């Protein structure tokens, strides 16, 4: 059965009142928990012009019973000892339901601000994953690596899980192979269409087999989802905000999606969303999510809000997905429907 969670929007327009947006996020988490979703997720960015960005996973007190996942933590920007300590604490807070999703990062200004050379990001990611895993599972860890060195280190508290899953974000071929080799699972971005997804899944599986590793239950995709009573209403509700989000991605240098600037916002969004996002009625969104499961995805972090979107529309979408989509997806993926 595929697990379904909600990816919380941490990025808000600079002119928005951050206290109000925080209160709204807390209300969203309470709604997510009440409706029986499996998890909440949050991303990480720094120094985002025109926006403010809430720190990752600031809501554990509101998230009782939910798994918490990072999608993704930019591991090369951080000290892995600190991430191991924070991750162990969040595993304790969630009752053993923490998932650490990590990735390389791609914005030069973030690396410059943290004093980390971008050309070291792959080696820092690989070494950091090793350190976190050892600190979660061993006492008195000594590490002499390229980027970090320490002796006889132990962290307390330890995670409740014997070892929380470390999931690696990846979309390019070398990164997918690396994720298969060093990760307990894989985090996918929203942009691949279904044919691209099939190729990426085959690459991940073959790389994992070549490394003599078993299949993983943790293949999680960040997925753009908009749900309303009819398809046109769903597009009208989200088009301006989703288009702004992808324009911001393009300005940050993240490729992979061609922009269409012809027509109304809804007309611009349709070719971007086709065979890529889940936008429409509860039945259409259900079908799209089940198709993801058939392709090999085991968990979805649904992004249902974007910078500037109003709270009423966000809650309406969460409510509709929770009441009409969530139970049907669980039934169909449990029985192979």
């Amino acid at each position: 059965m595929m697990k379904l969670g909600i990816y919380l929007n941490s990025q808000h327009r600079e002119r928005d009142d951050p206290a109000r947006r925080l209160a709204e996020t807390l209300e969203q988490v309470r709604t997510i928990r009440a409706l029986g979703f499996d998890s909440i997720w949050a991303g990480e960015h720094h120094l985002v012009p025109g926006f403010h960005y809430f720190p990752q996973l600031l809501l554990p007190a509101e998230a009782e019973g939910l798994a918490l996942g990072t999608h993704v933590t930019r591991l090369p920007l951080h000290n892995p000892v600190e991430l191991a300590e924070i991750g162990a604490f969040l595993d304790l807070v969630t009752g053993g339901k923490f998932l650490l999703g990590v990735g390389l990062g791609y914005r030069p200004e973030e690396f410059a601000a943290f004093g980390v050379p971008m050309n070291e990001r792959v080696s820092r990611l690989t070494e950091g994953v090793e350190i976190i895993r050892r600190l979660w599972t061993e006492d008195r860890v000594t590490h002499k690596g390229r980027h970090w060195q320490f002796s006889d280190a132990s962290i307390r508290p330890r995670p409740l899980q014997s070892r929380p899953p470390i999931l690696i974000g990846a979309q390019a071929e070398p990164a997918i192979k690396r994720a298969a080799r060093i990760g307990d699972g894989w985090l996918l971005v929203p942009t691949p269409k279904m044919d691209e997804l099939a190729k990426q899944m085959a690459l991940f599986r073959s790389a994992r087999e070549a490394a003599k590793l078993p299949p993983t239950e943790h293949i999680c995709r960040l997925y753009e989802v908009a749900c309303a009573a009819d398809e046109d209403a769903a597009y009208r509700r989200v088009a301006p905000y989703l288009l702004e989000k992808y324009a911001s991605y393009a300005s940050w240098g993240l490729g992979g999606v061609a922009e269409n600037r012809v027509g109304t916002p809804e007309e611009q969004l349709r070719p971007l969303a086709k065979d890529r996002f889940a936008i429409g009625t509860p039945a259409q969104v259900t079908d799209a999510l089940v198709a993801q499961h058939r392709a090999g995805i085991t968990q979805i972090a649904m992004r249902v809000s974007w910078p500037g979107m109003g709270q009423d529309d966000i809650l309406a979408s969460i409510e509709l997905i929770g009441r009409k989509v969530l139970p049907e997806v669980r039934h169909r993926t449990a029985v192979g429907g």
Side-chain angles (χ1 to χ4, degrees):
M1 183 171 66
M2 184 164 68
K3 294 180 179 180
L4 295 177
I6 300 291
Y7 180 99
L8 300 169
N9 175 43
S10 302
Q11 179 186 353
H12 300 284
R13 291 171 177 171
E14 191 173 41
R15 62 180 178 271
D16 287 358
D17 176 5
R20 177 175 62 85
R21 286 300 191 185
L22 175 58
E24 290 174 351
T25 304
L26 293 171
E27 183 181 13
Q28 292 164 30
V29 173
R30 290 191 289 269
T31 302
I32 292 162
R33 184 181 62 197
L35 289 167
F37 287 92
D38 296 299
S39 57
I40 56 173
W41 300 75
E44 176 189 29
H45 277 296
H46 305 274
L47 306 178
V48 184
F51 299 93
H52 55 79
Y53 213 104
F54 291 153
Q56 250 179 350
L57 297 177
L58 73 170
L59 307 166
E62 299 287 338
E64 183 179 358
L66 294 167
L68 283 172
T70 62
H71 203 317
V72 298
T73 298
R74 316 290 170 179
L75 195 159
L77 302 179
H78 299 282
N79 187 307
V81 175
E82 182 182 25
L83 289 182
E85 291 177 338
I86 293 171
F89 177 73
L90 289 173
D91 200 55
L92 175 66
V93 169
T94 59
K97 293 183 178 181
F98 177 64
L99 304 97
L100 177 62
V102 298
L104 291 174
Y106 58 90
R107 297 180 65 229
E109 51 268 59
E110 292 181 332
F111 283 85
F114 280 78
V116 175
M118 278 195 74
N119 62 5
E120 293 181 358
R121 58 185 183 155
V122 172
S123 58
R124 284 177 176 269
L125 175 76
T126 303
E127 187 176 338
V129 166
E130 177 191 352
I131 290 170
I132 293 168
R133 189 171 280 143
R134 290 190 65 197
L135 287 170
W136 280 347
T137 57
E138 302 175 24
D139 276 322
R140 303 180 66 83
V141 175
T142 294
H143 177 83
K144 305 295 183 187
R146 174 181 173 187
H147 303 293
W148 296 282
Q149 303 83 35
F150 50 86
S151 299
D152 294 331
S154 297
I155 65 165
R156 293 292 186 275
R158 299 286 283 274
L160 289 185
Q161 298 178 81
S162 58
R163 191 179 79 192
I166 300 177
L167 317 182
I168 313 295
Q171 58 179 316
E173 181 174 331
I176 293 171
K177 291 180 178 178
R178 185 186 312 115
R181 289 194 309 270
I182 72 170
D184 301 307
W186 176 28
L187 298 176
L188 292 85
V189 296
T191 50
K193 293 191 173 186
M194 290 301 291
D195 57 343
E196 299 170 291
L197 176 61
K199 293 175 184 176
Q200 290 186 353
M201 290 294 302
L203 178 64
F204 180 83
R205 286 170 176 154
S206 64
R208 202 156 174 88
E209 289 172 4
K212 297 184 174 11
L213 293 169
T216 173
E217 63 180 290
H218 301 293
I219 301 181
C220 177
R221 185 175 190 182
L222 175 60
Y223 200 43
E224 313 289 12
V225 177
C227 194
D230 66 80
E231 183 180 343
D232 289 341
Y235 272 93
R236 284 195 302 273
R237 176 183 287 171
V238 303
Y241 312 109
L242 246 175
L243 291 173
E244 182 181 2
K245 181 64 177 175
Y246 278 81
S248 123
Y249 279 149
S251 74
W252 295 350
L254 188 64
V257 177
E259 288 189 76
N260 169 40
R261 299 181 179 274
V262 178
T264 65
E266 300 93 271
E267 291 168 338
Q268 293 177 42
L269 180 57
R270 283 184 180 274
L272 173 64
K274 182 177 173 54
D275 202 29
R276 180 180 278 128
F277 306 152
I279 300 178
T281 65
Q284 289 172 310
V285 170
T286 297
D287 286 345
L289 290 168
V290 171
Q292 293 293 306
H293 184 257
R294 288 174 178 163
I297 304 298
T298 65
Q299 188 161 183
I300 293 280
M302 295 180 283
R303 180 157 54 185
V304 300
S305 63
W306 303 270
M309 194 169 176
Q311 177 76 339
D312 288 347
D313 284 339
I314 297 168
L315 291 176
S317 190
I318 292 171
E319 288 268 1
L320 192 56
I321 294 168
R323 299 191 187 284
K324 299 291 187 181
V325 175
L326 180 62
E328 184 64 19
V329 170
R330 283 177 172 164
H331 170 70
R332 289 175 58 182
T333 59
V335 299

